[in-house]
Amino acid sequence: MRNILLSFFLLLTFLGKAQNLVPNPSFEDTLQCPHNGWIEYSQGWKSFSSSPDYYNNCVPELFGYSVPNNFTGIQLAASGQAYAGAICYIEGETDYSLNREILGNNLISPLLIGQKYFVSLKIAAIPNTFNIGSSMFIDKLGVLFSSLEYTNLDSNTIPPIQNFAHVFTDSIITDTTNWTTIFGSFTADSAYTYISIGNFFKNNNTDTIHHTNSTYPNAYYLFDDICVSTDSSFCLNYVYIGINDEIIMEQNLNVYPNPTSDFVNLTFDDNEIHSVVIFNSIGAAVLVQNVFRKININISNLEQGVYYIHTNTSSHLINKKLIIY
């Protein structure tokens, strides 16, 4: 009983730690400078539908994907020096896989079933510029979680446009100068592992405002500072302050062998006590342990699959994936 209570206490302590579950939440970490605007050049982010854009000030202005001067006009990042953009509505569209742009990423760890999560993202409306041509403002912009990784192959592989999102705005976003923060919460009913950003509502369920006459009426928006956390204040006030600490701090933890089938070693290169939690693919904790410097864990009783190792100290968080075969 004592060990069970200790494990429960450690798990609560771990979950209470403020952490953004979205890797590269402000699009700052690049695989290479996006001269062509491909979202895939922002570490971890992908096109889940059509072809969302990536802007970073490492790009010379003449290519159109720099920050703050680019195809959309002049827009500073909400924080840092990068952001993403997407066409979120086209008047008269019926096949949403053609041009309804949605970007996505895998979460740092699966969501825990029954856990309440808070979500925030910053959005900027785009006026009618020569290259973008955005002539409408809309509502319903938000976030959808899934256990599937979507692709932009066709209408069967994109995120569902079924008038549902886990967090979205019912207010039409019209501010083309400042960033508007969307904030909400939901309780996870599945161990979701992916996040999608965009408009998941059909045209007749999306409210619009025409602000400019256009032969190709559409709404284009910019996105920055995506946050998912169990801490409401952390997400509501989220601001990028540097490349994701969780990624940097992974250097402090060595996991080997990995993949493995019978045991795994965890070694830390600091002198702190780490609360280690291992989650399975459906978000259930299968081990909770305090570790100082190193530990050898027998995992032969665990089923094959993907697991997630999370550790925390008073100063930082670390996240690693573990594969058991």
Side-chain angles (χ1 to χ4, degrees), residues 88-218:
C88 299
Y89 181 98
I90 298 176
E91 193 166 69
E93 68 180 333
T94 55
D95 184 349
Y96 299 104
S97 66
L98 293 177
N99 294 299
R100 177 74 69 88
E101 296 179 335
I102 297 172
L103 56 148
N105 202 341
N106 60 301
L107 298 171
I108 288 175
S109 64
L111 301 188
L112 300 176
I113 297 173
Q115 173 69 46
K116 185 175 184 179
Y117 290 91
F118 298 89
V119 179
S120 68
L121 65 159
K122 294 172 185 174
I123 302 176
I126 294 303
N128 186 273
T129 62
F130 176 77
N131 289 286
I132 295 298
S134 179
S135 61
M136 304 177 70
F137 298 135
I138 66 171
D139 65 355
K140 298 300 189 294
L141 299 166
V143 172
L144 180 73
F145 294 91
S146 69
S147 299
L148 298 174
E149 181 176 18
Y150 296 107
T151 69
N152 58 1
L153 296 179
D154 56 48
S155 59
N156 296 316
T157 64
I158 68 171
I161 310 299
Q162 296 178 348
N163 303 320
F164 172 80
H166 288 93
V167 172
F168 63 93
T169 176
D170 269 328
S171 299
I172 297 178
I173 297 179
T174 61
D175 197 329
T176 61
T177 302
N178 305 297
W179 290 85
T180 300
T181 298
I182 305 303
F183 177 76
S185 64
F186 75 104
T187 300
D189 59 358
S190 185
Y192 298 119
T193 51
Y194 296 94
I195 182 173
S196 302
I197 310 294
N199 173 20
F200 306 94
F201 289 75
K202 296 180 180 180
N203 280 19
N204 58 0
N205 290 93
T206 302
D207 290 333
T208 65
I209 294 176
H210 286 76
H211 60 79
T212 308
N213 291 326
S214 173
T215 56
Y216 182 63
N218 72 87

